[in-house]
Amino acid sequence: APPPPPGPLADDSSKLVYDSAHPYQALRPGDQRGPCPALNTLASHGYIPRTGIATPAQIVTAVQEGLNLENSFARFLTYSTFLVNGNPLTNLMSIGDKTSATGPNPPKPATVSGLDTHNNCEGDTSMTREDAFFGDNHSFNEDRFQNFINFSNKYGAGKYNYTVAAQLRKFLIQDSIQNNPQFTLVSPRLFTAFAESVFPANFFIDGRDKSGQLSLTNARSFFQNMMFPPNFYRRDGAVSTTGQDIVINLNANFKPGFNAKGVNTFTVDPTSATLAQPCVRYVNFVNNNIKELYPNPTGTLKQALTINLQYLYEATVAAGDNCTQVFPYGH
Ligand code: HEM
Ligand code: MG
């Protein structure tokens, strides 16, 4: 049975994380990297296995130890992603592309396709990756990063901060509505799109720097080079989505939805949870998204899914969302 996730760090103070035990190493053939600049970087420094193939517990440990992501949110992100993109039979997930390195797969319609998969984890309106419609949803994209730079110059005096995050999120949504005929931004991706907007400001600034302003040098180091800046210290004290309210406030008029008939046909999806409905997100994620991938599991597969769903629920509650638990595969 899959082991439980680790608890919080005993000491979450700032410290050197680009240390001699965690040197940067370039990718070897077959190593997996994907759409998440944090996981990519942690893998390049050995906090996550350098292959990019990891267990949920290894990922939770790495994002806590390397970047100081708060425990309940780390568990929530990890198990919701793992349930969709990981292999419950081997307890392994690729942080990039689908690969045989995660072992023999459970039966279809399960996909076990890694973080690159365009589904309820990876989604549209990323800051430095293109929408899947344009072909590559996981590689660093210089044009999009130039836009990140332009917004940081315009709204942050050359640095990335919460104000920039809010303006860039607003722009990226409009940009996709106008240019991506298959644009969609609904739960659960909706939630990560808003959370990820503040992640660079919360986690990519050196822990000794209390300005709240992310330099574009640091940003490029994580987003493109998958490398800690020289002598990087993790932030002081664990957090998760601090600052997100600023992003949500500027985008208060946005409702989850999609382009129904090509560009500029944005249509609200009333079945999607809104940002104010985390328990609708939880219930629909379990009963729809997971049930679609695993309609009728049996034996060890059912057992593993049930336990991972339990870990997801515990993380949901620990993160402050007191939702009623649902049991798609019985008790
Ligand atoms: C994307 C940061 C942890 C999975 C992103 C993005 C950022 C980010 C900034 C957006 C990239 C962009 O828009 O160009 C972080 C930080 C983390 C963290 C700072 C921890 C401190 C995790 C964890 C998971 C995860 C634990 C799941 C196991 C993803 C996925 C995407 C992503 C699937 C792609 C979503 C998309 O933009 O389409 N992450 N992340 N991340 N992250 Fe992470
Ligand atoms: Mg994306």
Side-chain angles (χ1 to χ4, degrees):
L9 294 175
D11 174 2
D12 70 353
S13 58
S14 183
K15 69 168 185 180
L16 180 71
V17 289
Y18 192 169
D19 59 6
S20 57
H22 299 93
Y24 170 82
Q25 281 174 23
L27 291 193
R28 303 156 304 187
D31 286 351
Q32 294 294 335
R33 300 292 183 270
C36 177
L39 299 182
N40 290 346
T41 300
L42 292 165
S44 298
H45 288 273
Y47 282 95
I48 289 172
R50 293 175 188 276
T51 53
I53 310 299
T55 68
Q58 285 174 325
I59 293 174
V60 172
T61 299
V63 293
Q64 294 188 159
E65 184 65 22
L67 289 168
N68 231 335
L69 182 60
E70 183 275 325
N71 178 254
S72 66
F73 203 77
R75 284 150 53 200
F76 180 79
L77 265 181
T78 300
Y79 283 97
S80 47
T81 306
F82 183 78
L83 277 157
V84 171
N85 292 323
N87 188 337
L89 294 173
T90 59
N91 207 31
L92 292 172
M93 180 167 72
S94 163
I95 67 166
D97 210 350
K98 186 175 175 70
T99 162
S100 59
T102 51
N105 288 324
K108 285 188 169 73
T111 49
V112 189
S113 306
L115 259 55
D116 287 1
T117 319
H118 184 57
N119 54 21
N120 27 62
C121 300
E122 191 289 316
D124 294 337
T125 71
S126 299
M127 295 176 281
T128 67
R129 271 67 174 164
E130 289 187 303
D131 286 4
F133 172 78
F134 299 107
D136 181 347
N137 66 351
H138 54 274
S139 306
F140 174 82
N141 181 283
E142 183 64 36
D143 288 342
R144 285 180 95 85
F145 191 68
Q146 286 301 325
N147 188 55
F148 182 100
I149 291 174
N150 292 343
F151 271 74
S152 300
N153 287 334
K154 188 168 174 193
Y155 295 103
K159 302 280 176 73
Y160 185 87
N161 58 29
Y162 297 151
T163 307
V164 179
Q167 295 288 348
L168 182 57
R169 172 102 325 281
K170 188 174 181 181
F171 169 85
L172 289 172
I173 291 171
Q174 288 311 313
D175 185 53
S176 285
I177 289 174
Q178 289 162 22
N179 295 299
N180 176 358
Q182 291 171 14
F183 167 62
T184 170
L185 192 55
V186 298
S187 179
R189 164 62 184 158
L190 172 73
F191 287 82
T192 60
F194 278 78
E196 284 158 17
S197 289
V198 295
F199 274 14
N202 287 350
F203 299 103
F204 296 165
I205 301 175
D206 190 285
R208 294 162 295 181
D209 174 353
K210 308 294 180 196
S211 68
Q213 313 294 312
L214 172 67
S215 75
L216 297 171
T217 318
N218 270 30
R220 189 183 281 282
S221 184
F222 282 95
F223 278 110
Q224 179 178 28
N225 302 333
M226 306 184 267
M227 192 189 232
F228 285 136
N231 299 310
F232 186 75
Y233 278 55
R234 73 180 184 202
R235 59 162 294 114
D236 191 19
V239 294
S240 55
T241 57
T242 305
Q244 191 187 222
D245 50 331
I246 297 172
V247 182
I248 293 175
N249 286 344
L250 189 78
N251 292 278
N253 290 331
F254 177 76
K255 294 192 175 65
F258 56 97
N259 271 343
K261 292 179 183 165
V263 296
N264 291 313
T265 61
F266 187 76
T267 308
V268 171
D269 177 357
T271 68
S272 169
T274 67
L275 289 171
Q277 298 175 307
C279 291
V280 177
R281 168 194 57 184
Y282 162 73
V283 170
N284 289 348
F285 177 74
V286 174
N287 284 343
N288 302 342
N289 305 76
I290 303 306
K291 205 87 205 275
E292 253 165 47
L293 294 170
Y294 297 98
N296 255 315
T298 56
T300 49
L301 177 59
K302 178 175 163 181
Q303 188 196 9
L305 289 168
T306 301
I307 294 172
N308 286 319
L309 283 168
Q310 179 67 26
Y311 296 152
L312 176 72
Y313 177 70
E314 286 167 8
T316 305
V317 173
D321 298 325
N322 217 346
C323 312
T324 303
Q325 189 167 10
V326 286
F327 297 93
Y329 309 123
H331 284 256

